[in-house]
Amino acid sequence: MIRLAGMRPIMISFTTARKIVFRHLPRRKTSCLELVKAEGRFLSRDVMAPTDAPAFDRAVMDGFAVRSRDTADAPVVLRVVGFVPAGRVFGRRIGAGESAAIATGAVMPPGADAVIKKEDAQVLSDGRLRVVRRVCRGKDVYPRGRDYRKGTLLLRRATLLNPSRIALLGSLGYGCVEVFAPARVALLTTGDEVVPAGRCARRGQVYDATTPMIFSSLSRMGALCEHLGHAPDRVALLDKKVRQGLKHDILIVTGGVSAGAKDYVPRMLAKNGVTRLFHKVLIRPGKPLWFGRRGRQLVFGLPGNPIASLVTFMLFVKPVIEYLQGGEGKSSFLQGVLLKDVYNESERLSFLPARLRRQNRGTGLMPLTFHGSADIYHVAGADCFFAAPAHARLKKKTHVSFFKI
Ligand SMILES: Nc1nc2c(c(=O)[nH]1)N[C@H]1C(S)=C(S)[C@@H](COP(=O)(O)OP(=O)(O)OC[C@H]3O[C@@H](n4cnc5c(N)ncnc54)[C@H](O)[C@@H]3O)O[C@H]1N2
Ligand code: MOO
């Protein structure tokens, strides 16, 4: 936070505020998850190959395992000495003039070095095999170690697990996997006038739009969210809920952080040992954002207007959660081109809603009508927010940074 001698703290820039947040990232934790639940998580350690893959020379076709050199003078007739099913080891060696029927996926019997697929084989009435054409060594055999060798680094720490990487871990016999643990986030909404779903809002009251919004963002990220409920602007109640919330990696409190008579949140956080790292940032929406920490726990006081909550969540809380869960966090911005002139009247860096349009070259952004941080309706039609510097007149085709919602 910036202080001028004898004066109140002044507002800090967006860049400084993000730097302060990234400077206080908590330590990541790991946990062991069932492989079937690991999609979207990041590995917390390298995975090395415990064996070659495949671990044995494997038949690729249903047919007959032969010694290729026996077919050099084709046509030839070979004896069939048995059948090799998948999953079994054939104990007998294939000798000169011999072959064995074999299934796809089976271990090649010792001595044999090629497979003649069923469609190319002629089985004579006495059960022997007539080979019409010579086969090369290795034909339709997937040799041991072709994909990787024992000791190869298969997946690096911090790799995002998707279904194909999960399949690779499955192929190694993993039932569980060590990943960066889901972030544990507590959410507390505040405000006398805010009514949870299921109750009837009286004149002057509003329904709680923020809880479902933050909850769905958290669940999309795979973070664990404890809803502390909704606290009216009463000191004792806020105090109790804040204490409960401080058991998590991150506590999010919405509302009550600006200058109103009942904006108790900053005081309540300070009383519970949370050190303020900044309060108020030069952005719009989201100016009253409050950030602090107590030990390893981070606390975000998001401004109550739902779109201010959304924007500050995306810009400040989401990267921290991504980092905690093993991602890079840091930058969540993409680049696009404006499809219309925009004038940002505000003296603050503004984040304005837009719809994305795919262009021949790159991404186009169509700015939308926006009535400010309470305008949930127009933001519902948006795909993203783009950054417009203070007082900027941005012409159509200007390149802008944006983040998706
Ligand atoms: N004198 C000043 N007044 C305000 C300032 C300021 O600097 N000086 N900042 C304004 C800005 S900017 C914002 S943003 C808001 C944020 O204020 P708070 O964080 O204290 O939020 P509240 O006053 O509790 O609520 C603001 C607004 O949002 C509605 N709200 C709150 N929670 C919810 C919810 N869960 N679901 C739906 N709507 C919610 C609430 O009813 C209020 O209308 O302060 C300005 N004032
Ligand atoms: O900063 Mo407030 O979020 O502009 O309305």
Side-chain angles (χ1 to χ4, degrees), residues 189-190 193-194 206-210 254-259 263 280 287-288 302-306 308 348 373:
T189 51
T190 71
E193 75 289 15
V194 179
V206 292
Y207 286 111
D208 178 8
T210 307
T254 69
V257 290
S258 66
D263 291 343
K280 300 199 174 169
K287 179 182 76 178
L302 307 186
N305 276 311
R348 290 177 258 157
S373 57

Side-chain angles (χ1 to χ4, degrees), residues 281 283-289 303-305 307-309 312 348 372-374:
V281 183
I283 54 171
R284 182 168 180 255
K287 179 182 76 178
L289 176 66
N305 276 311
I307 302 308
S309 291
T312 49
R348 290 177 258 157
S373 57

Side-chain angles (χ1 to χ4, degrees), residues 59 82 87 108-109 116 140 145 149 151 171 190 213 221 257 267 287 350 387:
M108 287 295 286
I116 297 172
D140 285 333
R149 290 284 179 193
S171 76
T190 71
M213 176 180 73
M221 297 170 75
V257 290
R267 264 177 282 158
K287 179 182 76 178
S350 297

Side-chain angles (χ1 to χ4, degrees), residues 2-22:
I2 299 164
R3 276 175 192 280
L4 298 180
M7 291 178 72
R8 286 159 58 85
I10 61 165
M11 262 193 268
I12 59 173
S13 72
F14 171 64
T15 315
T16 306
R18 289 244 297 192
K19 271 191 196 144
I20 293 173
V21 172
F22 295 143

